[in-house]
Amino acid sequence: MAFMTPPPVPASKLGFYRKLSPLAGIHVSPIQLGGMSVGDSPWATMGVGAMNTESSFKLLDAYFDKGGNFIDTANNYQDETSEKIIGEWAEKRGIRDQLVIATKYSSNFKRGNDSIAQKVHYVGNSLKAMNISLEASLKKLRTSYIDILYIHWWDWDTSVEEVMNGLHNLVVQGKVLYLGISDTPAWVVAQANQYAKDHGKTPFSIYQGRWNILERTIEREIIPMCRAHGLAVAPWDVLGAGKFRTDAEEEERRRTGEKGRTMFGPEWERNENEKKISHALEKVAGEVGTKSITAVAIAYVMSKVPYCFPIIGGRKIEHLTANIEALDITLSAEQIAYLESIVPFDSGFPTNLIGDGTKPSGWLASAAHFSFQPVLQPIQPSKN
């Protein structure tokens, strides 16, 4: 039947969409475009980088025209200009409903605004902060709804009950479709989703956290929690704050004075571990047939869990294009083991005693032989 004829093959693998998570049926691009660099504010002096409206539009256009539909931002990014530019761009192109826009509340989005004497209600997880931030985000993004609203970080003051009841009300009102949580202990998320399940509230369906080949702490408690509770994972800092680079690239940055991000410290050059990992990524890149070591770094996290949507920022279209190559890369078990051997990771107690549940523990194996149900595997790159 003619109406069942499939559309043309997408311009890139960004256009092969995936279900967000077992708890969310919305379909999104496998790599998110991060909005932290979108906008022009004093954040540039904080080592994050910034772009004016014209440059931001070009990057957003490049991502969308390659099939990308998943954009991540926050109420405070670039002192609110990130949301404003993304909203203006989507409105001018008339594509709002074609996009999945994620934003966050919790951070003080009125930082530096001297016209506001008291900023206490513009920060934290409380019901008031939630509603003030959401209404502001809707206006800046020029939309009537947010696809995914995240708690940006756990404030330790607001109860799970207050947060989940408040977020659920936003979903009921149609102002928010799905819920996410970022930078929060695994036990809090587990408690929140159990509360939601027990009380007929909307659960979190995606977790956002720092994860890369060097920073693997998330694998201790958070990844197993996501697997058990059906949450997707949205890793940020997948490229090690831009420090996964070749020796030649670092020398070129030194020569031109371009340097790199200093968000997590004043030193833009790589330390010894970052150099070791970069060399290992370069070796694997040669084996899989790409010149992009960042693509290999992205492919690494995507090979670890089934619902993984890395957030890739930056300001250059050529970097975006290189990063998308990750969607063509399949890493072998041997290559993953090699990358993980460069800087060994201690999973910590009790995982180093009882295992992580992905195979029978030594305690079970000491008593009998088991046929073990394998964990759900990640989607492999499409052959198209």
Side-chain angles (χ1 to χ4, degrees), residues 20 26 28 32-36 38 43 69-87 96 99-109 124-125 129-153 167 170 175-183 204-208 234 311:
L20 182 66
I26 193 170
V28 295
Q32 303 181 59
L33 181 65
M36 185 177 284
V38 171
W43 277 46
N69 74 345
F70 199 0
I71 298 175
D72 179 85
T73 186
N75 61 353
N76 67 317
Y77 285 175
Q78 295 290 340
D79 290 339
E80 302 188 75
T81 61
S82 177
E83 286 185 319
K84 290 177 181 176
I85 288 176
I86 291 169
R96 169 61 188 100
L99 302 172
V100 176
I101 298 177
T103 193
K104 311 174 190 75
Y105 90 97
S106 299
S107 295
N108 174 18
F109 66 101
N125 301 154
M130 178 192 303
N131 280 274
I132 290 174
S133 179
L134 176 66
E135 291 302 322
S137 290
L138 290 172
K139 291 177 182 177
K140 286 177 286 184
L141 287 165
R142 306 188 186 195
T143 184
S144 61
Y145 67 98
I146 302 297
D147 294 286
I148 303 172
L149 180 65
Y150 283 93
I151 288 179
H152 207 157
W153 41 267
L167 290 172
L170 298 179
K175 294 181 178 181
V176 173
L177 303 185
Y178 299 96
L179 303 179
I181 188 162
S182 173
D183 304 344
F204 295 117
S205 55
I206 185 167
Y207 183 98
Q208 189 172 132
I311 301 167

Side-chain angles (χ1 to χ4, degrees), residues 57-128:
F57 275 26
K58 288 180 179 179
L59 182 67
L60 290 162
D61 282 337
Y63 176 74
F64 181 78
D65 292 341
K66 291 177 184 295
N69 74 345
F70 199 0
I71 298 175
D72 179 85
T73 186
N75 61 353
N76 67 317
Y77 285 175
Q78 295 290 340
D79 290 339
E80 302 188 75
T81 61
S82 177
E83 286 185 319
K84 290 177 181 176
I85 288 176
I86 291 169
E88 181 184 355
W89 167 75
E91 184 179 73
K92 283 190 173 181
R93 288 201 61 164
I95 57 172
R96 169 61 188 100
D97 289 342
Q98 299 176 50
L99 302 172
V100 176
I101 298 177
T103 193
K104 311 174 190 75
Y105 90 97
S106 299
S107 295
N108 174 18
F109 66 101
K110 295 300 181 182
R111 180 193 73 90
N113 188 334
D114 295 334
S115 67
I116 298 176
Q118 296 186 14
K119 298 183 175 65
V120 66
H121 298 311
Y122 295 91
V123 70
N125 301 154
S126 74
L127 192 59
K128 186 173 179 71

Side-chain angles (χ1 to χ4, degrees), residues 19-25 178-180 189-190 193-194 197 203-207 222-233 305-309 376:
K19 183 172 77 168
L20 182 66
S21 79
L23 298 177
Y178 299 96
L179 303 179
V189 185
N193 268 26
Q194 190 63 50
K197 182 179 181 180
F204 295 117
S205 55
I206 185 167
Y207 183 98
I222 292 169
I223 294 298
M225 178 276 297
C226 289
R227 185 181 293 119
H229 286 268
L231 278 75
V233 182
V305 292
Y307 298 95
C308 183
F309 302 90
L376 186 64

Side-chain angles (χ1 to χ4, degrees), residues 283-303:
K283 178 178 182 295
V284 173
E287 294 172 356
V288 299
T290 179
K291 295 181 180 179
S292 173
I293 69 171
T294 58
V296 177
I298 297 166
Y300 167 77
V301 296
M302 297 188 76
S303 70

Side-chain angles (χ1 to χ4, degrees), residues 152-231:
H152 207 157
W153 41 267
W154 194 245
D155 72 0
W156 298 108
D157 276 347
T158 312
S159 69
V160 163
E161 293 81 0
E162 179 177 344
V163 167
M164 300 312 289
N165 290 339
L167 290 172
H168 177 69
N169 286 340
L170 298 179
V171 174
V172 171
Q173 294 172 46
K175 294 181 178 181
V176 173
L177 303 185
Y178 299 96
L179 303 179
I181 188 162
S182 173
D183 304 344
T184 296
W187 70 264
V188 174
V189 185
Q191 186 182 67
N193 268 26
Q194 190 63 50
Y195 175 83
K197 182 179 181 180
D198 292 344
H199 295 84
K201 307 296 181 181
T202 308
F204 295 117
S205 55
I206 185 167
Y207 183 98
Q208 189 172 132
R210 191 180 189 187
W211 190 19
N212 61 55
I213 182 61
L214 264 182
E215 177 48 71
R216 297 176 57 199
T217 315
I218 192 174
E219 296 178 29
R220 290 179 177 148
E221 298 283 350
I222 292 169
I223 294 298
M225 178 276 297
C226 289
R227 185 181 293 119
H229 286 268
L231 278 75

